[in-house]
Amino acid sequence: MDSLYKIIGVALITCIATLVVKPVRPDFAVFISIVGGIIILFMLAGYLTEIFDVFNQIFNFTNVNSSIYKIIFKIIGVGYLVEFTASLCADSGNSSLGDKVLLGGKIIILVMALPIVTSILEIVMELLPT
Amino acid sequence: MEVEIIFKIAAIGILTAVVSQILKNSGKEDISTLATLAGVVIVLIMVINLIADLFDTIRTIFNF
Amino acid sequence: MSGISAWLLSITGVVLLSVLCEFILPEGQINRYTRVIFSFVTLFVIISPLPLLLNKEIDFSFPNYDYTLQEDYLYELNLNKLDAIQTDLQAEIEDAGIYNIKISISANAYSENLEIYSIYVELCDISFSADFENKNISEAKHVIEEIISYMPSLKDVPISYDS
């Protein structure tokens, strides 16, 4: 529960600070909101590690292919980073740049997932009578 | 660590605005622009350090 | 029967994980996309035992893109470590009162923990500070070897001199 209060506190302080600074220097308000977002993400990092440990256990328990597991992890990581960068760009006013970053992330995720698609096709091809 | 950075950035912002106003009123406008720019650069360095930390943490979590 | 139960278990695992991942990635546009990818993964896991049923071999090795990237990163990391060790050593020897010596450390920059092969010390331009006792080469070598033996990463590394 402590972390929840910390997160709420940081968010409120960020909002108040932005309100204070905006009439004086509007560009600093963007910096403050960016930094507030980063601090909240930092607080979540510990929880994320726990969740991924449990994921690890599930994977070892249900013997899925370990390469699939790595691909899924990388896809989640790329998703996070890309989404964070896109909202940062949108906050500072270049939402079109954020869209392009999203596009880059989607293409990279697709490239990482292509081997799975090819494997599916290979399996189907092996099943067909030649 | 966490909330102090927000206060620092807000303080630097208000400080640069005040300094810039004072310098403008006493006629030295170019120095005022330099002071504003310096404030922005300082805050930028702090923010970029923080972002680099964040990316490193994400990299370690996801074992890139 | 154990094969079928393993297969069912892996399907359960993948579906469970996809649902959980959708929880922790609740962010707009990427969410739709990762849903598509997870559906591909689930399809793959469901289909995977079929070639075993029909006694055909399928090779499930996915290309690993991380090796080259890690090598470059490792090289840079080790180079930085090596530079740091060299500057530290130089600074400590200068603190002890010996100036103008050059130290080169040869190491394997591609190994995971930087393996140091040997240290080469050039003593040709050596000069001493005012309060250094016994200003001769053998005393200098003695002091250098002592400093090197205090650094944990350089223990037991053969040292060679040029004189």
Side-chain angles (χ1 to χ4, degrees):
Chain A
M1 273 328 233
D2 269 348
S3 308
L4 182 66
Y5 293 136
K6 273 196 221 174
I7 292 176
I8 295 180
V10 167
L12 285 175
I13 291 181
T14 316
C15 290
I16 296 179
T18 356
L19 282 177
V20 165
V21 174
K22 212 184 270 206
V24 179
R25 295 222 51 186
D27 34 354
F28 271 54
V30 173
F31 278 135
I32 294 183
S33 45
I34 292 176
V35 167
I38 295 181
I39 293 177
I40 295 184
L41 283 180
F42 264 131
M43 289 192 209
L44 295 177
Y47 285 119
L48 268 184
T49 338
E50 277 187 42
I51 294 180
F52 284 135
D53 276 341
V54 171
F55 274 18
N56 235 332
Q57 284 181 18
I58 295 182
F59 266 118
N60 290 338
F61 196 55
T62 63
N63 42 14
V64 182
N65 224 341
S66 76
S67 25
I68 290 191
Y69 157 62
K70 277 189 225 160
I71 291 180
I72 289 186
F73 247 38
K74 282 192 184 175
I75 290 177
I76 299 179
V78 168
Y80 267 138
L81 284 174
V82 154
E83 194 64 46
F84 167 72
T85 317
S87 49
L88 201 145
C89 293
D91 256 350
S92 46
N94 318 347
S95 60
S96 58
L97 201 64
D99 282 339
K100 299 204 177 56
V101 171
L102 273 175
L103 178 67
K106 286 184 193 173
I107 292 183
I108 291 182
I109 292 182
L110 184 61
V111 164
M112 288 201 278
L114 274 180
I116 300 183
V117 178
T118 26
S119 309
I120 296 180
L121 277 180
E122 272 177 22
I123 298 180
V124 171
M125 272 182 0
E126 293 265 336
L127 295 178
L128 290 177
T130 41
Chain B
M1 174 277 249
E2 294 138 6
V3 200
E4 301 173 351
I5 301 188
I6 298 186
F7 289 146
K8 274 191 219 172
I9 297 182
I12 292 183
I14 298 184
L15 201 67
T16 36
V18 165
V19 164
S20 143
Q21 280 291 68
I22 293 182
L23 285 173
K24 254 193 242 185
N25 281 345
S26 67
K28 307 197 175 143
E29 289 201 8
D30 34 2
I31 300 191
S32 122
T33 342
L34 275 177
T36 323
L37 208 58
V40 170
V41 165
I42 292 178
V43 165
L44 196 65
I45 290 181
M46 288 201 290
V47 170
I48 288 187
N49 269 337
L50 206 58
I51 294 185
D53 269 345
L54 180 75
F55 277 14
D56 267 341
T57 320
I58 292 191
R59 199 182 218 186
T60 15
I61 292 184
F62 290 96
N63 301 330
F64 269 162
Chain C
M1 276 309 140
S2 71
I4 292 188
S5 55
W7 174 52
L8 287 177
L9 201 56
S10 52
I11 294 182
T12 319
V14 165
V15 168
L16 188 65
L17 277 156
S18 312
V19 169
L20 286 178
C21 290
E22 285 189 29
F23 270 157
I24 61 176
L25 274 180
E27 308 148 52
Q29 304 191 11
I30 296 276
N31 207 4
R32 277 185 308 188
Y33 210 66
T34 44
R35 248 182 243 168
V36 171
I37 304 289
F38 281 134
S39 62
F40 272 133
V41 171
T42 320
L43 183 62
F44 175 69
V45 170
I46 293 179
I47 290 188
S48 57
L50 280 181
L52 293 177
L53 280 183
L54 302 181
N55 300 328
K56 295 197 186 144
E57 285 301 317
I58 294 256
D59 158 42
F60 286 147
S61 58
F62 296 112
N64 257 329
Y65 298 111
D66 20 51
Y67 289 136
T68 42
L69 195 62
Q70 282 193 351
E71 231 182 52
D72 286 345
Y73 182 62
L74 200 59
Y75 184 64
E76 288 294 314
L77 208 62
N78 281 340
L79 230 52
N80 286 343
K81 269 197 223 170
L82 201 57
D83 279 336
I85 294 180
Q86 275 182 311
T87 18
D88 279 342
L89 200 53
Q90 200 95 2
E92 285 199 26
I93 292 184
E94 277 180 20
D95 277 341
I98 308 178
Y99 303 118
N100 285 342
I101 57 165
K102 221 163 104 35
I103 303 200
S104 28
I105 307 183
S106 75
N108 179 14
Y110 286 106
S111 59
E112 276 198 19
N113 331 317
L114 186 64
E115 291 169 20
I116 301 191
Y117 295 143
S118 64
I119 304 181
Y120 183 65
V121 184
E122 285 177 23
L123 297 168
C124 37
D125 298 321
I126 194 170
S127 66
F128 298 97
S129 70
D131 51 345
F132 193 84
E133 1 161 301
N134 293 348
K135 298 186 172 42
N136 52 18
I137 300 271
S138 52
E139 178 66 26
K141 284 190 194 176
H142 193 66
V143 170
I144 292 179
E145 278 170 21
E146 213 179 286
I147 295 182
I148 289 182
S149 66
Y150 280 144
M151 301 193 74
S153 48
L154 296 176
K155 257 178 130 98
D156 300 333
V157 173
I159 312 177
S160 53
Y161 301 93
D162 64 337
S163 57

